[in-house]
Amino acid sequence: MRKGFMDKLESRLMPIAEYVSKNKYLISIRDGFLISMPLLVVGSIFMLISNFPVQPWIDLLKNTTLAGTSIASYFSNVTNATFSIMAIFVVIGIGYNYAKQENTNMIFGAAIAVLSWFMLMPFTTMYTPEGASKAVQVTSIPLDWVGSKGIFIGILCAFLSVKIYKWVEDKGWTIKMPNGVPPTVGQSFAALFPIGAVVVVFFFIRVLFTLTPWGNAFDFIYKILQMPLQKVGDSLGAMMGIYLFAHILWFFGIHGTNITDSVFRPILYALSAENLAALQAGKPLPHIINTQFQDLFATYGGAGSTLSLLIAMFFFCRSKRIKELGRIAIIPGIFGINEPIIFGLPIVLNPTIAIPFIIVPMINILVSYITMAIGMVPVCNGVIMPWTTPPIISGFLSSGWQGALLQVFLIALGVVIYYPFIKTIDKQYIRDEAEVENNPKDDDISLDDLTF
């Protein structure tokens, strides 16, 4: 009966996972965001140094000046050059990767994605001069729209512009240069009409939006699409539902978080960026759910929060197989790498360990959310760290000593939950090992034994 249920569940989930993992748009979003990742991590390091949670250090950076500018401002320049313009990197990355999926020129894909996005952007900001009572409109590139607020419309622009470019290219409406012309020159002329078509389409889109109550496409997308999506993503139910789905996929050997991140991570990035902006402005952090919440407090040691399982294996199991696997896997596990235990124990398609593998991350999310909501633990500050940052260190840098303490508590709680399940497997392995010792067999395979 259990096998029948598993087969039925697998038959329902596999088509969904396969569709998501092969979807061009989702792959482009996932890989496009990866381009911005190293830039944001570097920016975060500077942000972390300038806001390290020790007040005398923060005061020192603010009060020490160099050529009339505080040291803290120099650090902020790096943060502004990464976080404040993060949407530009994302649009470039998605345009490039979607062009790759469509088998067209990737460089021009990235270029027209940015071109079309800027064509729809309102180049004005409101500024109140010193001593004035009214704000005036100033022609400029608004930092709001090139930061997290402009990501969603950037994604749409990247897809639409590359789609138009590819359509014109497939129609053969390109300039073909004679043989002997350098390939780069030939590619430039071949791109002329497709880029022209993209510009014409986005020209009319911009004109159409000026006739609407919103005045421009950025305000329309932000208010109609991005804000509702962020509200859904910024909820405990959404986070737990997505992690439940991801871990069921993991159980069947599919990289679940890799699939769900394609959809969910853009929302988390936007929420993190708003937290970071609030931190810089000295305001309360608005979002509990964000990238750091997922990376630092949902799981420890990778999917299933298997660092807790490894600790239980390392200290409480007696079978040679499990103890050896625990010794091998615990160091990678501290840095969030758990493939050795996922496939080595194994966890995949192992119903004995499925229950704690799925519920431990759920409990981590629930406890972390509650402790942050009631103020016991500070909300994550928006500083992005590499996902390999070990727990306790990551918790301290993101949410102070309370965050580090919460991580210790959740890892220990995970050990308690995993313990009876891994001990069941341990007893089975001990019996298997004893049987092999009592009834040794010659399992060596020799080519001399083969006959043809």
Side-chain angles (χ1 to χ4, degrees), residues 76-92:
S76 296
N77 287 340
V78 181
T79 309
N80 291 334
T82 50
F83 278 93
S84 298
I85 60 170
M86 65 182 289
I88 297 177
F89 307 131
V90 172
V91 174
I92 290 172

Side-chain angles (χ1 to χ4, degrees), residues 9 54 62 65 70 74 125 128 142 146 187 205 213-214 237 278 296 334-335 374 390 412 445:
L9 189 61
V54 176
K62 283 183 178 176
T65 59
S70 70
Y74 286 109
T125 50
T128 306
V146 294
Q187 287 175 9
I205 292 174
W214 296 277
L296 309 181
I334 291 171
F335 295 93
I374 63 177
I445 298 174

Side-chain angles (χ1 to χ4, degrees), residues 216-242:
N216 63 75
F218 275 69
D219 276 314
F220 172 78
I221 295 294
Y222 185 73
K223 290 173 182 171
I224 300 299
L225 182 62
Q226 184 167 345
M227 283 298 290
L229 278 176
Q230 281 188 203
K231 282 183 181 173
V232 172
D234 187 18
S235 68
L236 180 61
M239 188 85 196
M240 293 186 72
I242 283 171

Side-chain angles (χ1 to χ4, degrees), residues 283-294:
K283 297 178 181 176
L285 306 184
H287 305 295
I288 294 176
I289 303 288
N290 52 46
T291 309
Q292 294 72 40
F293 183 89
Q294 174 180 276

Side-chain angles (χ1 to χ4, degrees), residues 6 9-10 13-14 247-254 348-349:
M6 296 293 291
L9 189 61
E10 185 176 358
L13 288 174
M14 288 298 281
H247 280 73
I248 291 174
L249 292 178
W250 265 114
F251 177 70
F252 288 104
I254 302 164
V348 172
L349 294 176

Side-chain angles (χ1 to χ4, degrees), residues 3 71 101 116 177 220 256 263 282 341 354 392 407 410 426 444 448:
K3 189 175 184 301
I71 300 296
Q101 295 293 323
S116 58
M177 300 300 287
F220 172 78
V263 179
I341 190 172
I392 301 177
Q407 288 183 327
L410 291 175
D426 187 47
D444 291 341
D448 296 335

Side-chain angles (χ1 to χ4, degrees), residues 339-357:
E339 274 76 4
I341 190 172
I342 289 274
F343 300 102
L345 187 60
I347 290 174
V348 172
L349 294 176
N350 185 346
T352 307
I353 207 74
I355 292 173
F357 181 77

